[in-house]
Amino acid sequence: MSTIHIIHENNAWLAPLRASLAAIRAPHEEWFLDRGLIDLTQAPPEGVFYNRMSASSHTRGHHYAPEYAGAVIEWLERHGRVVVNGRRALQLEVSKVAQYEALAAFGIPTPPTVAVVGEEHLRAAAERIGTPLILKHNRAGKGLGVQLVRSTAALDEAIARIAADDDPVALPRDGIWLVQRYIAAPEPFITRAEFIGGRFLYAVRVDTSEGFELCPADACAIPEGTACPAVAPGEKFRIIEGFAHPLIPRMEAFLAANGIGVGAIEFITDADGNTFAYDVNTNTNYNPEAERRAGLSAPDAVARHLVGLLPRAAQAA
Ligand SMILES: Nc1ncnc2c1ncn2[C@@H]1O[C@H](COP(=O)(O)OP(=O)(O)O)[C@@H](O)[C@H]1O
Ligand SMILES: [Mg+2]
């Protein structure tokens, strides 16, 4: 019988999907890819493969996990396996430049951005973009390293801090910095649209007033019994009922063209009503508290989507 195989490198992020798959008795196996081997002389097992590799794996010590996943996906795809979020999705996961160029091809606006290799070019990039600006990594995740730089003097300070920091995680994993126009929202929130099976499922509004590390899963990773910051008075994550936006059909077309079966797109709308997409997540996490309040479950929808692909995998076998 064919099985669902989940490619990932973070056990904690898998708990909700694990529960949803178990609830419908879906046969599944986890492929935790950090270190190991792939025997290219053998065929991979049958089944559906769901790639949840994350751009931020290096921040958990899994330095080469995305490269490992990339090699595994080459092997799976050459054997005709059904892969949700395949090689192109992985390419986009680890490069915001790749995301922006691919979004542009579908008429989805992104913030003006200059990519920089070599810190000595950051000032020249900032001159092109102007301040305030966002300084971030091309390959990032969880908002780590995202800095709001309000002035040229603040940029000089940021560059000095970068030079003095000996933590390798403070540097972009691929050496590429992004200098990007800061999109000021009239209210401090961003919107994250979730797509499953390539179709829009719901949008969640995320409060940014406490900073840029906005991972929906991590915000909930607090000890049981303590107050959950996600349900605190401000409700950091809130699913917007009946959300509609003219860019959603373009986003669905973008996801389909890039083989992203399950993913999220983050965007900000400025005071003039212009919307800019700035992040594509192919290993999206869902906020359990916000889902409970809205009576929705994206992990259940992902589980059903993956089970629905099993007959196709059996046919390919
Ligand atoms: N150009 C921008 N203008 C305003 N805020 C931004 C911009 N880029 C990033 N941010 C803020 O920083 C957060 C993290 O940035 P993001 O690009 O999503 O990186 P990551 O891939 O680490 O999630 C965003 O959710 C948003 O709140
Ligand atoms: Mg993000």
Side-chain angles (χ1 to χ4, degrees):
M1 183 172 174
S2 66
T3 296
I4 296 161
H5 304 265
I6 305 162
I7 293 171
H8 76 108
E9 58 73 48
N10 188 350
N11 275 317
W13 283 349
L14 222 56
L17 178 60
R18 222 177 254 145
S20 297
L21 288 167
I24 57 171
R25 297 176 196 280
H28 64 281
E29 269 180 41
E30 294 174 21
W31 284 23
F32 184 96
L33 296 190
D34 173 26
R35 304 163 81 91
L37 54 83
I38 328 163
D39 185 347
L40 301 181
T41 69
Q42 303 293 310
E46 305 295 342
V48 168
F49 292 80
Y50 172 33
N51 160 36
R52 280 188 50 90
M53 192 44 63
S54 164
S56 64
S57 58
H58 58 295
T59 65
R60 287 176 290 280
H62 305 145
H63 201 74
Y64 295 122
E67 286 76 12
Y68 188 6
V72 167
I73 290 168
E74 291 296 329
W75 179 57
L76 297 173
E77 291 188 349
R78 104 100 160 143
H79 285 278
R81 297 293 180 266
V82 174
V83 183
V84 175
N85 294 359
R87 95 178 58 177
R88 179 63 180 151
L90 182 62
Q91 264 174 19
L92 295 182
E93 172 67 20
V94 297
S95 171
K96 285 194 165 66
V97 168
Q99 293 172 18
Y100 298 160
E101 295 307 295
L103 288 164
F106 286 82
I108 301 167
T110 57
T113 303
V114 176
V116 176
V117 178
E119 289 75 22
E120 67 277 23
H121 298 292
L122 286 172
R123 283 187 193 84
E127 273 165 31
R128 289 170 186 251
I129 294 296
T131 51
L133 59 81
I134 289 279
L135 179 61
K136 61 186 178 184
H137 299 185
N138 183 50
R139 171 169 158 183
K142 303 196 301 177
L144 291 170
V146 177
Q147 300 180 50
L148 169 58
V149 176
R150 293 194 180 275
S151 64
T152 320
L155 179 68
D156 288 340
E157 284 166 27
I159 293 171
R161 271 199 308 276
I162 291 163
D165 199 332
D166 51 15
D167 180 358
V169 169
L171 297 174
R173 165 72 170 71
D174 61 5
I176 304 177
W177 291 97
L178 300 182
V179 174
Q180 185 168 89
R181 181 180 300 163
Y182 173 65
I183 309 298
E187 286 180 75
F189 71 84
I190 62 104
T191 307
R192 179 173 171 125
E194 297 290 349
F195 300 83
I196 294 174
R199 305 298 303 272
F200 173 70
L201 182 72
Y202 66 64
V204 59
R205 169 183 159 141
V206 189
D207 188 332
T208 55
S209 51
E210 285 166 19
F212 292 150
E213 291 185 24
L214 302 174
C215 173
D218 287 357
C220 256
I222 53 153
E224 243 177 85
T226 48
C228 172
V231 290
E235 283 188 354
K236 186 162 176 173
F237 297 89
R238 184 158 63 77
I239 292 172
I240 308 164
E241 223 171 289
F243 181 84
H245 194 286
L247 286 176
I248 294 287
R250 290 188 200 179
M251 291 179 179
E252 288 178 338
F254 155 81
L255 294 169
N258 289 284
I260 303 173
V262 179
I265 300 178
E266 295 178 356
F267 47 91
I268 307 180
T269 302
D270 70 13
D272 299 327
N274 301 310
T275 296
F276 299 88
Y278 61 84
D279 189 22
V280 176
N281 299 282
T282 69
N283 79 317
T284 184
N285 288 305
Y286 310 104
N287 186 261
E289 271 307 318
E291 288 200 335
R292 193 187 52 73
R293 289 195 301 273
L296 289 166
S297 170
D300 283 357
V302 173
R304 283 195 300 271
H305 173 60
L306 297 173
V307 167
L309 293 171
L310 283 172
R312 197 194 298 175
Q315 228 167 28

